[in-house]
Amino acid sequence: MEQNSRGIWGSRLGFILAAAGSAIGLGNIWRYPYVTGQNGGAAFVLLYVGCVLLVGLPVLIAELSLGRKTTLNPVGAFKAIVPKSLWPGVGYLGVLTGVGILSFYLVIAGWTLGYLVRTIIPSSESFDQFVANPYEEIGYFLAFLGLTMYVVLGGVEKGIERWSKFLMPALFVLVLLLIGYNFTLEGASKGIEFYLKPDFSKIQGSTVLAALGQAFFSLSLGMGTMITYGSYISKKENIPVSAVAVALSDTTIAFLAGLMIFPALFSVGVEPTSGPALVFNVLPRVFETMPGGTIVGVAFFLLLIIAALTSTVSLLEVPVAFLVDEKKWSRKKAVWVIALMTILAGMPSALSQGTVAWFTNVEFLGQQGFLSIMNRLFSDISLPVGGLFICLFVGWVWGTKNALEEIRIGADEQTIRLMGFWQFLVKYVCPVVIAAVLLNIFGVF
Ligand code: PFF
């Protein structure tokens, strides 16, 4: 099924699972529960679903159609449509953002490896001691980078697709098993109530904006990941239907992750507002109190590793596809060079959890510590800026009419009829909402 020498997804399900694999990651299982906890629970969940439908899904369709039309990486895609302009700059921003997010995402992904090991071989180190240990931080960071490189070196079909096909369904089954287990815990019903019974008095401006930011990060939007993955789809594919499948599976896994974590949290009496350390600080204690907890813990961290790996793979794939397409590098050379850049960019984050004082205490953009600053800069600023420009580009420069022509290929009549609404969302609703998020980051509201 080769379309050109770049490679193409081997099957329809293969593409959907790979794109869902990119979307489903630490964002769903580590970030979504703590952001939900900080924003009041059930009411936030409803807002989040609203953001996915109104902004996430339209941007996802825009990125996939731009990618399939041009069969190129984010830089090449903009260049192919308007060669002599500043628009390829949006692609360059995406390539840079890929390395930027990967550099700190690998630190947290490394924690999941570390916690898998700690669950098998118990350690007396606390979470704070663990993250301040430079040997463990750097060792696990490099190990996770190695795993990611191994998958990406395999290429699109043999590497990413083959792994996703096997890993994503395994993840889904593991989450369901854990939900079943956690529901039997004493006090679980309090968690279920917090998570499912909305208290609308908890909604504020910042809640809406947190929901939108989470949608962006979780669906892998704004840096051209879905342009790149879209470039490997065949012309037979129904883009809107695939996009719905990806968004639905991502949102389902996040929703299930909440269902898995909140009953457990409430059962050990921990505050839902405890922030980013939540999963790592709390769940091991939950596992300790469970009969057979070691097995449950191993399954849980394995699940986090699986989810994180299919996301780090997509983060690495964006700059690699850029170098392979635009600079005509071999895949191997591109992977190694980007990996070395990621190590350089990632070391300050890895050493920012108490190891090196300056990296730990440095303040910028309202954040303290190098990792938090990188997260703020690349997830909260870079992704929405990229997403805003992608909407403006597809809505007004390439034009939704041209985009629709691409979407029409492989789509049925019924799907096409719904696309009038998509045009409206991409041209007007998405840019306005995303601009509001950015203004909020700069403190306008
Ligand atoms: N969506 C991934 C997650 O939820 O963990 C993170 C991510 C991957 C963000 C790829 C952006 C991206 F381009």
Side-chain angles (χ1 to χ4, degrees):
M1 259 185 81
E2 291 273 302
Q3 201 172 30
N4 56 35
S5 59
R6 295 174 80 241
I8 189 168
W9 305 112
S11 70
R12 161 152 215 200
L13 194 62
F15 157 68
I16 292 174
L17 287 175
S22 165
I24 299 163
L26 295 171
N28 303 59
I29 288 163
W30 158 75
R31 197 177 193 268
Y32 169 82
Y34 91 72
V35 175
T36 301
Q38 282 175 333
N39 285 280
F44 173 87
V45 176
L46 287 177
L47 274 179
Y48 173 68
V49 173
C51 288
V52 168
L53 292 176
L54 278 185
V55 181
L57 195 53
V59 175
L60 180 55
I61 292 172
E63 284 202 29
L64 290 177
S65 53
L66 186 57
R68 191 179 66 175
K69 170 71 190 176
T70 56
T71 60
L72 286 168
N73 63 89
V75 173
F78 286 99
K79 258 191 205 161
I81 289 172
V82 278
K84 290 207 174 69
S85 72
L86 289 176
W87 284 103
V90 181
Y92 282 108
L93 178 69
V95 169
L96 185 74
T97 306
V99 179
I101 294 184
L102 189 59
S103 77
F104 70 82
Y105 199 96
L106 281 173
V107 175
I108 298 157
W111 296 351
T112 64
L113 272 185
Y115 266 75
L116 176 68
V117 173
R118 288 165 60 112
T119 310
I120 299 166
I121 309 160
S123 156
S124 56
E125 259 182 353
S126 70
F127 175 78
D128 289 345
Q129 288 167 330
F130 167 70
V131 295
N133 179 331
Y135 300 106
E136 284 179 303
E137 286 296 277
I138 293 172
Y140 287 126
F141 175 101
L142 293 177
F144 214 100
L145 178 61
L147 279 175
T148 309
M149 289 169 70
Y150 176 74
V151 177
V152 174
L153 277 172
V156 165
E157 193 185 332
K158 281 200 217 86
I160 300 169
E161 182 173 342
R162 189 184 57 189
W163 281 78
S164 300
K165 244 188 219 169
F166 159 71
L167 294 172
M168 297 324 292
L171 167 67
F172 189 76
V173 172
L174 270 169
V175 173
L176 287 180
L177 286 175
L178 276 165
I179 291 172
Y181 191 88
N182 289 354
F183 264 45
T184 65
L185 296 172
E186 213 187 302
S189 59
K190 261 203 221 141
I192 297 167
E193 190 177 314
F194 174 84
Y195 188 54
L196 297 180
K197 201 169 155 214
D199 174 358
F200 290 103
S201 68
K202 285 180 177 158
I203 293 184
Q204 306 163 346
S206 63
T207 322
V208 184
L209 299 163
L212 190 84
Q214 177 61 25
F216 247 92
F217 187 84
S218 192
L219 288 170
S220 305
L221 298 175
M223 53 161 271
T225 302
M226 292 303 175
I227 297 177
T228 308
Y229 272 33
S231 75
Y232 304 126
I233 328 177
S234 92
K235 294 284 186 192
K236 286 189 211 121
E237 214 71 68
N238 185 332
I239 289 178
V241 169
S242 306
V244 168
V246 170
L248 196 70
S249 47
D250 184 62
T251 309
T252 304
I253 291 280
F255 182 76
L256 293 179
L259 223 44
M260 166 179 76
I261 283 167
F262 285 107
L265 278 182
F266 277 78
S267 130
V268 290
V270 165
E271 283 303 311
T273 50
S274 34
L278 187 140
V279 166
F280 295 97
N281 236 338
V282 172
L283 278 178
R285 264 187 275 157
V286 175
F287 298 140
E288 269 168 32
T289 65
M290 286 176 182
T294 306
I295 292 165
V296 180
V298 167
F300 177 78
F301 287 111
L302 212 50
L303 174 164
L304 261 182
I305 289 164
I306 292 165
L309 182 61
T310 48
S311 299
T312 53
V313 159
S314 75
L315 287 162
L316 181 57
E317 180 63 19
V318 172
V320 166
F322 161 69
L323 291 171
V324 169
D325 290 344
E326 304 299 306
K327 307 289 174 204
K328 309 291 172 227
W329 286 18
S330 71
R331 184 163 266 273
K332 198 169 162 188
K333 180 176 166 194
V335 166
W336 277 99
V337 168
I338 296 297
L340 288 177
M341 286 171 62
T342 306
I343 292 172
L344 286 180
M347 279 310 113
S349 290
L351 300 174
S352 72
Q353 305 299 306
T355 317
V356 175
W358 192 81
F359 292 142
T360 308
N361 299 322
V362 57
E363 280 183 47
F364 186 53
L365 298 169
Q367 301 292 307
Q368 195 194 9
F370 202 87
L371 193 150
S372 301
I373 292 169
M374 292 291 276
N375 186 18
R376 166 59 49 112
L377 188 63
F378 287 105
S379 317
D380 297 344
I381 299 177
S382 226
L383 290 183
V385 167
L388 176 62
F389 282 120
I390 288 167
C391 286
L392 293 175
F393 183 80
V394 171
W396 302 93
V397 179
W398 185 30
T400 48
K401 282 221 178 66
N402 287 324
L404 264 188
E405 246 167 61
E406 180 59 34
I407 291 169
R408 207 178 287 277
I409 306 167
D412 57 290
E413 268 315 302
Q414 219 178 350
T415 309
I416 296 296
R417 255 178 268 135
L418 291 171
M419 287 291 104
F421 189 50
W422 170 78
Q423 284 179 290
F424 173 71
L425 291 174
V426 167
K427 284 176 100 153
Y428 304 102
V429 177
C430 302
V432 169
V433 174
I434 298 166
V437 174
L438 289 171
L439 291 174
N440 178 64
I441 285 170
F442 296 109
V444 173
F445 300 119

